Amino acid sequence: MEKPDLVVVGNGMAGARAVEEILERGGGRQFRISMFGDEPYGNYNRIMLSHVLAGDDAVHKNDLAEIYLNPLDWYADNDIALYAGVRVVRIDRFARKVFADDGTILSYDKLIIATGSRTFFPPTDGMWLDDRTLTPGVFGFRTLDDATAMLDYAAERRTAVVVGGGLLGLEAAYGLQQHGHDVHVVQSGPTLMNQQLDDEAGGILRTVVERMGITVHTGKRTAALRAHDGSVSAVVFADGTALDCDMVVVTAGIRPNVGLGVISGLTVERAIVTDDQMRSVDDADIYAVGECAQHRGEVYGLVAPLWEQATVLANHLTGADPKAAYHGSRIATKLKVAGVDVAAMGVKGPQRPDDEWVRFAEPKRGIYKSVVIRDGRLIGAMLLGDTKQVAFLTQSFDRGLPLPEERVELLFELAGPGEEQGAAEMDESVQVCNCNGVSKGELVACVRAGTHTVGGVMTATRAGKGCGACKGLVRDIVEWAVTEDGGEVGEDESASWYVPSIPMDKPTLIAAVREQNLRSVSQVFAALAPDGEDAASKMPLTSLLRVVWNGEFVHENDAKFINDRVHANIQRDGTFSVVPQIKGGVTTAEQLRRIADVADKYAVPMIKITGGQRIDLLGVRKEDLPGVWADLDMPSGYAYGKSFRTVKSCVGTDFCRYGLGDSTDLAVKIEQQYQGLESPAKLKLAVAGCPRNCSEALVKDVGVVAVDDDRWDVLVGGAAGASVRRGDVLATVDGHDEVVRLAGVFMQYYRENARWLERTYDFVPRVGLSELKAILVDDRDGVVTGLEERMQDAVDAYHDPWQDGRDPRGPGQFADNLPLIPLPQVPVRRAADGSLQSSAAGKIGARP
Amino acid sequence: MTTGEVTGHRVAAAADLPPGGSRAYAVGDMQVAVFRLRSGELRATDAVCPHAGGPLADGQTDPTKVVCPLHSYAFSLADGSCHNGDYAVRTYTVREEAGEIVVECG
Ligand code: SRM
Ligand SMILES: Cc1cc2nc3c(=O)[nH]c(=O)nc-3n(C[C@H](O)[C@H](O)[C@H](O)COP(=O)(O)OP(=O)(O)OC[C@H]3O[C@@H](n4cnc5c(N)ncnc54)[C@H](O)[C@@H]3O)c2cc1C
Ligand code: SF4
Ligand code: FES
């Protein structure tokens, strides 16, 4: 059967996010997806336009790569037909077709409208040349084209007037001011950012903004624009006064793009009216999401609510959760506007006689804070200049928590976090990378630990390495944190620290651990960490102790990540995956039979062939792990650790007519030798029997490729994960033994010198190939023998952790920590023939 | 922080939680994660991470926080606030009494 057609109109933040969420739920298999976007680009991060305008290095207008959330490749990769620069002009709901301005006509089964908003230009004499063309020098601030056109025009101009003193207006003013322009902000009411702020806060913000050199005019209604030589030359106010200028930016509000909804007969009030599933109330096959949607009377203008809407939409549309419902968002906004922190939630001031209103103002430092309390619950809060309390207030606001008797505590850190957490940290309440689960706090910690480049922080934390949607935000935060930190790029000594809590680089730390004979993570903290224990340092320290002491150290379960505690990979529902070792990808009928039996016995919801040439049993309950291992009677494949993983192989000389070397045998040998080795990040290897490279050895941490009769290229630093990099040839050597030896020397050097989580694809270029050759191949520094010896010690200390199952480390190692939830909750997959993979699968969900 | 009636519940023997140990226990229809810090002190929070349901008792701790194993949100062991997001968990008073761990919750 043909797949049903899903058509998306609007390729902005909400539309593209909805599609990402749909793909994430397998919607790519369910639907044939087409997207229309009026703008001639892939989806980009509109929030970043402020940075484009301000000319931040990161997003310079001549290099906008960073601003794209989904570059054009993304659409192709996901089989999405993208109509970029094409505008949909009509929907025929009865024929179920959309019509575009380039003549395209597409049928749909499901339609998503995500057309967002556009700049509102208040009717003003002199604003327009004709129906569609603004007077030269007049700009809106909504699209990438707006921002770049503004920059081009501004280059030769001096004075700009921004009409509208809200969020966008202040961002535009700040951006232009960064280019040395004389900037005036005109606000018709008395208060800047009056949507978020009360008059007093607005007044303080005004002082702050004026201190930056931006002139603010309040209470001025713009009546007309004057032009000279065809381009704008002055703004004329209702009171008859005028302000000369050579450009005007209009930020007097936005209007939802609802024309399509109106002409196709959907109910439109302020925007397209939807139900709790984000469907039009008139047509169950049409969804609306983002700024063009109106839900329970609300139209949102910030991204956080749009994300929630997109999730509900995707859950409902794909059937992942047919009961998914959106209940509206309680908006607690936290923004940085023109460099100033602003947070606001709920009501702005008291509304009833007995509402409590507690305020604090320190105009000189640009600080204002207020809270509104009704019946002991927080119903509103406003913070300007100092938003440290925002997390605590948001939590009280969202959950209606009881408040401290001393209301003033709400405004200061006394009531929020304990003092030991540090004020700056609490300030960091932005959700950042959803894919890899990186919080703003971690990014900041990484910066504090000395990584002062966006790329470095992304590599270390993995933020932005998933869907990439958060890259802009990550950049924002890193830049902010670096400035906040006061450190200059590259010159901070903590850049080299191995863990944030200990001021030592890795070789120094290793030496100290050896010298002081530190055998447990607690000992290391006690001896070397000035501020003691730190959760984020624990896992890297355990890893380091493993490398230094080869198993001769005191295991502390709390110093390990859950995966390392139970030797399996935690899944989204708290179950685990089990990947037994299958050396070189070579298995036997007997092993397969055992795997099959285990899968049946433990009702394993999915059995999958991995990308690493082995078999994954997914969805195993924690308490079943020891049983599963015992019944498998195969060693751990270490698919959960920062460790040596697999050696993939191709069939090689025994069977392949092109084979130059016995790749399967060599792969098995390497895996046998180095199985389970602890390392700073994953080590994935492969051996190919000829340069056709069927086992993808060119893109592995260590790849081995036969180039002649039993003659092998040994490549290092390759990758084909989130980063793709071809490995560099470290040396070309003869015979299996020499390959095994050289691979070991490289891996030991990497183990001793790489930063925590630094994959070889970063490590090799950092150290440099010629340097590595000099040290490891030519033995320039005379260290090779030592590396070989220490590697041999590590190899000798190999111990299959799955043997632990027979003898748990302390009570509760394998106790389920989610007692009331029926597990596994992951869906049961059927094989392509429709049969259930596991005969016992029907029992899933029942607790033993 | 807790609301309403508060009662002590015995959830386990003290030996269940050596220093550095953490477990989740059912208390009535609630799920509470109990942590024994390296110092020997006890802490208790909701067992389920408000972000996406992660098992907090499987997380990593230090004297001030627990880090969820799924996406590394960190929660204060003192008041449950999230160090790096707008989520929060409840925290509970927990103590050792006659060789047993007692959690106070409603
Ligand atoms: C099971 C498997 C997918 C599959 O079904 O095939 C898999 C599953 C996961 N991969 Fe992978 N990767 C798997 C092969 C790969 C490969 C292909 C390969 O090994 O040849 C790659 C690209 C090669 C590489 O890494 O250079 C790969 C690149 C990644 C990355 C990106 C690493 C990078 O730095 O670019 C991550 C993220 C990370 O490491 O932080 C990742 C992370 C993960 C994690 C562990 C995510 C997590 O932390 O939970 C996934 C665990 C799923 C689960 O719940 O069990 N996985 N992953 C594959 C297991 C292979 C095995 O037998 O060991
Ligand atoms: C400069 C700036 C700074 C901002 N800063 C923040 C911030 O700090 N925090 C925050 O939360 N929010 C911020 N926002 C708001 C945020 O960007 C919006 O809320 C968000 O982009 C709305 O997403 P959307 O998908 O609904 O609309 P959009 O992102 O506008 O996407 C709609 C897309 O649909 C296209 N389209 C419209 N009609 C059609 C049609 N008929 N056919 C085909 N395509 C069509 C449009 O061209 C557009 O590309 C900012 C906005 C701007 C402009
Ligand atoms: S981490 Fe790997 S297994 Fe998990 S979703 Fe991403 S690509 Fe798939
Ligand atoms: S589930 Fe806890 S951080 Fe995501």
Side-chain angles (χ1 to χ4, degrees):
Chain A
M1 209 183 84
E2 280 273 292
K3 286 198 266 187
D5 279 297
L6 171 65
V7 173
V8 183
V9 184
N11 183 25
M13 301 193 75
R17 179 63 162 248
V19 171
E20 283 177 8
E21 298 285 348
I22 288 166
L23 291 174
E24 205 166 275
R25 288 163 182 72
R29 287 190 303 275
Q30 258 171 292
F31 294 103
R32 198 161 62 184
I33 305 177
S34 310
M35 293 187 83
F36 287 91
D38 201 5
E39 299 180 74
Y41 312 105
N43 171 40
Y44 62 86
N45 188 347
R46 202 170 296 289
I47 296 176
M48 295 284 290
L49 292 181
S50 311
H51 299 253
V52 174
L53 192 63
D56 292 2
D57 285 350
V59 283
H60 194 267
K61 77 179 175 73
N62 296 325
D63 175 18
L64 289 166
E66 285 298 326
I67 189 180
Y68 291 107
L69 301 177
N70 304 93
L72 295 174
D73 290 351
W74 179 83
Y75 297 88
D77 292 348
N78 288 293
D79 281 335
I80 297 168
L82 173 66
Y83 296 81
V86 180
R87 179 175 184 75
V88 170
V89 290
R90 188 161 75 84
I91 301 169
D92 183 334
R93 279 171 52 204
F94 303 97
R96 296 153 77 89
K97 286 189 192 324
V98 295
F99 298 78
D101 60 357
D102 70 342
T104 307
I105 302 171
L106 290 190
S107 298
Y108 67 82
D109 295 289
K110 298 281 175 188
L111 181 70
I112 299 177
I113 302 180
T115 45
S117 311
R118 63 180 182 283
T119 305
F120 169 61
F121 293 95
T124 308
D125 285 342
M127 183 92 83
W128 298 89
L129 276 188
D130 58 41
D131 278 359
R132 350 183 90 227
T133 326
L134 287 163
T135 302
V138 179
F139 298 89
F141 188 23
R142 176 75 191 178
T143 63
L144 185 51
D145 287 349
D146 286 340
T148 48
M150 226 189 291
L151 280 173
D152 287 339
Y153 192 85
E156 284 137 45
R157 306 298 195 289
R158 284 223 30 79
T159 310
V161 174
V162 176
V163 178
L167 161 68
L168 283 183
L170 292 176
E171 291 278 89
Y174 178 71
L176 289 170
Q177 208 249 347
Q178 296 295 302
H179 294 276
H181 284 66
D182 235 354
V183 183
H184 299 259
V185 174
V186 178
Q187 171 76 323
S188 54
T191 307
L192 289 180
M193 277 186 76
N194 62 329
Q195 291 215 8
Q196 288 85 9
L197 302 182
D198 63 23
D199 292 351
E200 189 170 357
I204 293 177
L205 179 62
R206 175 182 185 147
T207 320
V208 176
V209 169
E210 288 185 325
R211 234 184 273 150
M212 295 175 187
I214 294 170
T215 314
V216 178
H217 309 260
T218 47
K220 290 256 183 198
R221 212 170 49 76
T222 304
L225 303 184
R226 258 202 312 256
H228 179 72
D229 276 351
S231 37
V232 74
S233 63
V235 177
V236 183
F237 300 113
D239 62 8
T241 55
L243 195 55
D244 287 340
C245 61
D246 38 33
M247 66 187 285
V248 172
V249 182
V250 182
T251 52
I254 55 174
R255 292 291 181 270
N257 289 319
V258 294
L260 276 180
V262 174
I263 58 171
S264 36
L266 303 177
T267 304
V268 176
E269 290 171 7
R270 282 189 298 142
I272 299 169
V273 179
T274 70
D275 62 14
D276 285 353
Q277 282 67 46
M278 302 313 299
R279 290 174 304 186
S280 153
V281 289
D282 310 285
D283 189 329
D285 293 323
I286 300 185
Y287 293 78
V289 66
E291 288 186 349
C292 65
Q294 175 179 330
H295 173 264
R296 298 194 187 176
E298 290 291 334
V299 180
Y300 297 94
L302 292 164
V303 295
L306 313 188
W307 296 165
E308 293 176 38
Q309 295 177 351
T311 310
V312 171
L313 186 160
N315 273 329
H316 187 259
L317 178 68
T318 60
D321 176 4
K323 292 208 190 74
Y326 178 63
H327 301 296
S329 302
R330 304 195 73 173
I331 349 180
T333 6
K334 179 167 179 300
L335 302 162
K336 194 163 206 113
V337 183
V340 182
D341 286 312
V342 178
M345 62 198 81
V347 301
K348 287 197 279 188
Q351 298 170 330
R352 297 187 191 163
D354 51 358
D355 284 349
E356 294 172 56
W357 194 19
V358 185
R359 288 180 293 162
F360 170 82
E362 202 180 343
K364 211 156 170 227
R365 288 177 56 220
I367 290 173
Y368 178 83
K369 310 179 186 195
S370 78
V371 292
V372 187
I373 299 163
R374 177 176 302 161
D375 301 333
R377 300 280 183 262
L378 186 68
I379 59 164
M382 189 182 302
L383 300 170
L384 178 74
D386 169 4
T387 51
K388 290 193 193 73
Q389 287 298 90
V390 68
F392 177 70
L393 291 174
T394 309
Q395 168 194 342
S396 310
F397 176 71
D398 282 347
R399 314 184 80 192
L401 298 178
L403 303 173
E405 277 310 310
E406 299 278 325
R407 301 303 198 211
V408 65
E409 290 178 16
L410 282 166
L411 300 181
F412 300 95
E413 257 170 295
L414 316 166
E419 298 121 63
E420 66 275 37
Q421 291 160 7
E425 215 175 318
M426 282 309 294
D427 196 6
E428 294 139 13
S429 57
V430 179
Q431 145 114 36
V432 191
C433 177
N434 287 329
C435 299
N436 290 321
V438 186
S439 57
K440 178 167 178 185
E442 284 168 274
L443 293 174
V444 173
C446 184
V447 169
R448 298 243 165 82
T451 310
H452 278 187
T453 60
V454 178
V457 172
M458 281 173 36
T459 306
T461 60
R462 304 273 138 203
K465 296 234 168 180
C467 66
C470 64
K471 272 189 188 163
L473 218 48
V474 172
R475 173 176 298 283
D476 256 10
I477 291 162
V478 172
E479 280 169 358
W480 168 79
V482 170
T483 334
E484 196 83 347
D485 220 21
E488 256 182 69
V489 179
E491 288 196 352
D492 194 326
E493 56 164 9
S494 65
S496 58
W497 297 356
Y498 175 68
V499 287
S501 58
I502 301 178
M504 291 182 185
D505 66 11
K506 188 168 178 183
T508 318
L509 181 56
I510 290 183
V513 165
R514 285 219 168 92
E515 208 167 287
Q516 303 181 35
N517 195 27
L518 304 174
R519 300 270 175 165
S520 72
V521 171
S522 333
Q523 282 177 357
V524 176
F525 279 127
L528 306 174
D531 300 324
E533 223 177 311
D534 161 45
S537 303
K538 288 186 168 183
M539 189 184 176
L541 286 175
T542 298
S543 166
L544 186 120
L545 291 182
R546 281 210 163 100
V547 170
V548 174
W549 300 120
N550 291 321
E552 301 288 302
F553 72 102
V554 182
H555 287 265
E556 290 175 338
N557 252 356
D558 62 307
K560 297 177 188 169
F561 182 58
I562 180 66
N563 286 6
D564 298 311
R565 287 182 205 166
V566 300
H567 319 300
N569 193 341
I570 193 164
Q571 323 257 282
R572 59 191 318 151
D573 65 350
T575 58
F576 291 84
S577 64
V578 171
V579 183
Q581 184 184 61
I582 295 184
K583 292 192 194 88
V586 183
T587 182
T588 62
E590 207 274 318
Q591 275 186 341
L592 293 175
R593 220 169 271 128
R594 244 180 295 143
I595 292 174
D597 289 342
V598 166
D600 275 352
K601 177 164 168 189
Y602 295 93
V604 169
M606 176 156 89
I607 313 169
K608 186 180 176 302
I609 309 295
T610 72
Q613 298 189 344
R614 41 213 198 148
I615 295 173
D616 196 349
L617 303 174
L618 295 117
V620 177
R621 298 182 188 91
K622 199 199 224 175
E623 63 271 30
D624 283 344
L625 289 171
V628 166
W629 300 332
D631 291 344
L632 279 174
D633 197 22
M634 293 166 74
S636 164
Y638 280 92
Y640 44 82
K642 299 301 167 203
S643 51
F644 181 98
R645 293 280 177 91
T646 43
V647 188
K648 303 210 279 190
S649 78
C650 68
V651 284
T653 40
D654 278 0
F655 295 92
C656 176
R657 63 198 156 123
Y658 294 117
L660 298 168
D662 188 347
S663 50
T664 15
D665 183 50
L666 179 52
V668 172
K669 272 188 196 146
I670 299 176
E671 187 157 350
Q672 175 66 40
Q673 178 78 358
Y674 299 119
Q675 54 192 342
L677 270 186
E678 183 72 20
S679 60
K682 301 184 280 199
L683 278 168
K684 298 176 175 182
L685 288 78
V687 182
C690 86
R692 285 171 191 74
N693 189 33
C694 296
S695 53
E696 298 163 333
L698 295 179
V699 288
K700 293 281 126 186
D701 295 287
V702 178
V704 182
V705 180
V707 290
D708 204 344
D709 190 18
D710 203 20
R711 193 170 162 71
W712 306 86
D713 271 356
V714 177
L715 299 100
V716 294
S723 305
V724 180
R725 181 175 191 274
R726 188 189 167 108
D728 297 314
V729 180
L730 183 64
T732 305
V733 301
D734 288 302
H736 287 192
D737 293 349
E738 185 52 18
V739 172
V740 175
R741 187 198 66 83
L742 183 62
V745 168
F746 168 76
M747 288 189 287
Q748 183 65 16
Y749 186 75
Y750 167 69
R751 279 166 23 106
E752 292 178 9
N753 293 283
R755 297 181 181 141
W756 176 238
L757 299 185
E758 183 180 32
R759 287 284 296 264
T760 63
Y761 60 73
D762 283 326
F763 176 73
V764 169
R766 176 165 72 83
V767 179
L769 181 63
S770 49
E771 180 72 5
L772 284 172
K773 281 183 174 166
I775 301 173
L776 306 178
V777 182
D778 308 335
D779 200 11
R780 180 191 70 195
D781 305 340
V783 298
V784 168
T785 315
L787 289 169
E788 283 172 5
E789 282 167 8
R790 291 192 295 281
M791 181 53 111
Q792 190 58 50
D793 290 345
V795 166
D796 294 341
Y798 166 75
H799 155 81
D800 172 20
W802 286 1
Q803 300 296 330
D804 272 17
R806 308 208 160 105
D807 176 19
R809 261 179 220 290
Q813 183 183 3
F814 297 107
D816 187 356
N817 271 334
L818 278 182
L820 300 179
I821 294 178
L823 293 174
Q825 295 199 310
V826 285
V828 176
R829 302 270 172 174
R830 283 154 203 274
D833 64 2
S835 68
L836 271 181
Q837 279 205 341
S838 162
S839 58
K843 292 198 217 103
I844 280 163
R847 302 292 283 162
Chain B
M1 277 173 230
T2 46
T3 46
E5 280 287 285
V6 164
T7 22
H9 298 268
R10 285 167 224 291
V11 294
D16 233 26
L17 285 175
S22 49
R23 293 280 292 273
Y25 300 103
V27 180
D29 55 0
M30 299 171 76
Q31 302 175 69
V32 177
V34 183
F35 306 86
R36 171 137 12 224
L37 305 180
R38 280 271 143 202
S39 62
E41 288 167 70
L42 292 165
R43 295 284 184 275
T45 67
D46 288 332
V48 181
C49 176
H51 172 229
L56 287 181
D58 280 340
Q60 286 194 283
T61 54
D62 64 22
T64 66
K65 58 181 176 288
V66 54
V67 183
C68 177
L70 290 195
H71 312 101
S72 305
Y73 280 78
F75 299 90
S76 161
L77 289 172
D79 65 7
S81 64
C82 183
H83 286 230
N84 32 37
D86 291 337
Y87 301 97
V89 290
R90 278 167 296 188
T91 53
Y92 305 93
T93 306
V94 55
R95 60 178 189 276
E96 202 173 309
E97 210 174 79
E100 286 185 297
I101 292 169
V102 179
V103 176
E104 283 184 4
C105 56

